[in-house]
Amino acid sequence: MALIVQKYGGTSVGSTERILAIAERIVRCRNEGNQVIVVVSAMGGETNRLAGLGNEISANPAAREMDVLLASGEQVSVALLSMALADLGCPGRSFLANQIRIFTDGNHQRARIQNIETEALDAAVAEGVVPVIAGFQGTDSTGSLTTLGRGGSDTTAVAIAVAMKADECQICTDVDGVYSADPRIVEDAKRLSSVTFEEMLELASLGSKILHPRSVEFAGKYNVALRVLSSFEDGPGTLITTETPTMEQPIVSGIAYARDEAKITMSGVPDIPGVASKILGPVGRTATEVDMIVQNTGADGLTDFTFTVKRQDFESTLKLLEPVRQSLGARELSGDNKIAKVSVVGVGMRSHAGVATRLFDALADENINIQMISTSEIRISVVVAERYLELAVRAIHDEFDLASSGTQPDT
Ligand code: ASP
Ligand code: MG
């Protein structure tokens, strides 16, 4: 008998009809001889609605109270799903985080799981009950409710799978797997039968919203078999797994993009020690995330310094840096908030030279100017003007022939 953790996201439990359909799917999995533990999100849109209420009431709501508010969404869906299971003759039982004791640190709204007690779940599973667990929430050492950050119920599911030593953690969602590129942009994008944790982590943090990056990190660390599959159709989905030496890897597995980027350049900066820290220090002390950073070779004692931030942080970062520009005596502070980042990811890149050249050629053939480049061992990212984003993704998909290489045999 396999123990399977199934996580259903907001769309999958978005209406009472869908909850009834999900209940049937859970019963089917159980009838196939599996033990099932379920983790659910709030009904789609509900967490946003609750956050909106909090922000209407107060310009500066306390993080602790926001957690109590936001976590209520998951309480609704575990209750409804457990009722639906009972009507199908399947003993489902709802569990909130404090009933299981999913312990986190005390960082409200971005808490990290520290420990999960398994007694209550072990007992339920032994009784033949299907535990239906509220995702996204935890409890700190003082008993206060915490939440794991938006999208955090994926992480709950993986953590439960680790704690319960489950055979597989299935993330059931509204897409039927991870694709070689966004199918809304590339018509012949292919579902990948498998990707490695490393690749998925890059894809997830690069803006493919399928999985919460922390859940992938967690699953990789504990080597949990993680699968992304459709809540609504049957199919094998995409298995996220460790790389094995025998695996025949395509050079590029997938393409990710992020549209909401902006770049900021300080030019004519004195090329002396400490400049990077004077520019990025103040930015880092705000919650602003800095991604790509480029500093040019100096000429005549001056250099240019460019970096990217999320578009929402563009104006505030420019404002923050104007006094820094003045104190450094730098010539100009400029920026562009109509840029996008396109990245190719693949563990196969490690053993293949010339991937970057092919990527640059593909973009050159389409007359797309590359504004910035950054690389890691398994990723190359380029910044292009936002209006060329879709063209760039299609050109790269063609160049690496991903429409055919995505189809590996299903495992
Ligand atoms: N309900 C939470 C959110 O919308 C958690 C989740 O869906 O994973 O962010
Ligand atoms: Mg999600």
Side-chain angles (χ1 to χ4, degrees):
M1 215 193 241
L3 176 62
I4 295 179
V5 173
Q6 289 188 333
K7 180 256 168 179
Y8 292 95
T11 322
S12 310
V13 294
S15 63
T16 46
E17 290 80 22
R18 289 209 166 149
I19 292 176
L20 291 168
I22 294 310
E24 278 173 19
R25 195 174 181 282
I26 294 166
V27 168
R28 235 183 302 136
C29 181
R30 195 164 172 262
N31 289 344
E32 283 161 11
N34 301 301
Q35 284 180 322
V36 187
I37 297 177
V38 182
V39 174
V40 287
S41 293
M43 295 171 80
E46 183 60 9
T47 313
N48 286 343
R49 190 186 73 84
L50 293 167
L53 289 177
N55 291 320
E56 251 175 60
I57 282 285
S58 164
N60 195 12
R64 180 187 186 278
E65 305 312 335
M66 271 311 244
D67 275 352
V68 174
L69 179 64
L70 296 194
S72 68
E74 272 70 12
Q75 180 163 345
V76 171
S77 37
V78 289
L80 293 176
L81 181 55
S82 302
M83 292 174 194
L85 285 170
D87 280 357
L88 295 175
C90 169
R93 187 181 300 159
S94 63
F95 286 94
L96 302 179
N98 64 341
Q99 292 173 303
I100 298 172
R101 294 153 71 83
I102 300 177
F103 285 111
T104 68
D105 60 27
N107 289 312
H108 289 288
Q109 307 230 260
R110 53 192 163 84
R112 286 180 173 259
I113 296 178
Q114 291 175 328
N115 181 41
I116 296 183
E117 290 187 359
T118 59
E119 275 129 326
L121 291 180
D122 284 336
V125 170
E127 260 180 74
V129 162
V130 174
V132 181
I133 301 168
F136 178 54
Q137 48 178 255
T139 177
D140 72 8
S141 57
T142 69
S144 289
L145 253 167
T146 55
T147 64
L148 308 180
R150 298 302 306 272
S153 50
D154 295 341
T155 301
T156 305
V158 171
I160 293 284
V162 173
M164 295 299 290
K165 302 189 175 61
D167 296 287
E168 188 164 293
C169 181
Q170 300 180 343
I171 306 292
C172 309
T173 180
D174 47 356
V175 292
D176 69 345
V178 180
Y179 275 69
S180 55
D182 186 340
R184 286 168 301 186
I185 293 185
V186 183
E187 223 172 81
D188 56 0
K190 280 279 165 348
R191 178 179 56 81
L192 305 171
S193 54
S194 69
V195 289
T196 69
F197 288 115
E198 228 182 332
E199 289 170 326
M200 194 63 222
L201 195 55
E202 291 277 7
L203 292 170
S205 18
L206 289 169
S208 124
K209 302 253 154 51
I210 300 182
L211 286 176
H212 196 229
R214 197 130 45 78
S215 71
V216 183
E217 208 179 283
F218 219 125
K221 184 166 164 199
Y222 294 98
N223 201 7
V224 178
L226 186 62
R227 194 183 288 277
V228 173
L229 69 182
S230 164
S231 297
F232 310 115
E233 298 158 26
D234 289 335
T238 299
L239 182 67
I240 298 141
T241 174
T242 43
E243 190 180 353
T244 62
T246 56
M247 251 158 115
E248 176 77 53
Q249 287 292 350
I251 302 173
V252 169
S253 295
I255 304 174
Y257 64 85
R259 230 183 248 287
D260 52 345
E261 303 273 311
K263 73 171 180 182
I264 292 177
T265 299
M266 201 182 288
S267 36
V269 189
D271 192 8
I272 51 171
V275 164
S277 99
K278 285 207 179 81
I279 296 175
L280 293 181
V283 181
R285 282 189 282 280
T286 65
T288 305
E289 216 179 284
V290 173
D291 181 23
M292 292 188 193
I293 304 170
V294 175
Q295 186 187 336
N296 274 346
T297 317
D300 302 327
L302 296 178
T303 184
D304 295 339
F305 194 91
T306 304
F307 60 94
T308 63
V309 294
K310 292 266 168 273
R311 197 170 288 168
Q312 71 202 34
D313 296 323
F314 179 64
E315 300 294 342
S316 61
T317 307
L318 278 177
K319 221 174 269 158
L320 183 73
L321 286 182
E322 181 48 31
V324 177
R325 181 197 69 77
Q326 287 172 20
S327 78
L328 287 172
R331 189 175 58 235
E332 193 191 356
L333 186 63
S334 60
D336 180 352
N337 64 357
K338 299 228 158 26
I339 59 162
K341 182 174 67 177
V342 181
S343 308
V344 297
V345 173
V347 292
M349 269 183 220
R350 267 201 286 254
S351 48
H352 280 83
V355 183
T357 316
R358 280 178 71 184
L359 169 66
F360 302 154
D361 285 350
L363 295 175
D365 287 347
E366 297 293 345
N367 254 318
I368 300 173
N369 186 37
I370 300 172
Q371 304 182 10
M372 292 172 84
I373 302 167
S374 84
T375 61
S376 81
E377 212 192 355
I378 65 160
R379 171 186 56 77
I380 305 171
S381 300
V382 295
V383 165
V384 298
E386 190 192 3
R387 64 180 179 285
Y388 294 130
L389 171 65
E390 309 203 341
L391 182 59
V393 172
R394 284 189 206 110
I396 300 168
H397 201 266
D398 275 356
E399 170 61 35
F400 291 98
D401 208 13
L402 299 187
S404 48
S405 69
T407 43
Q408 304 150 28
D410 280 316
T411 44

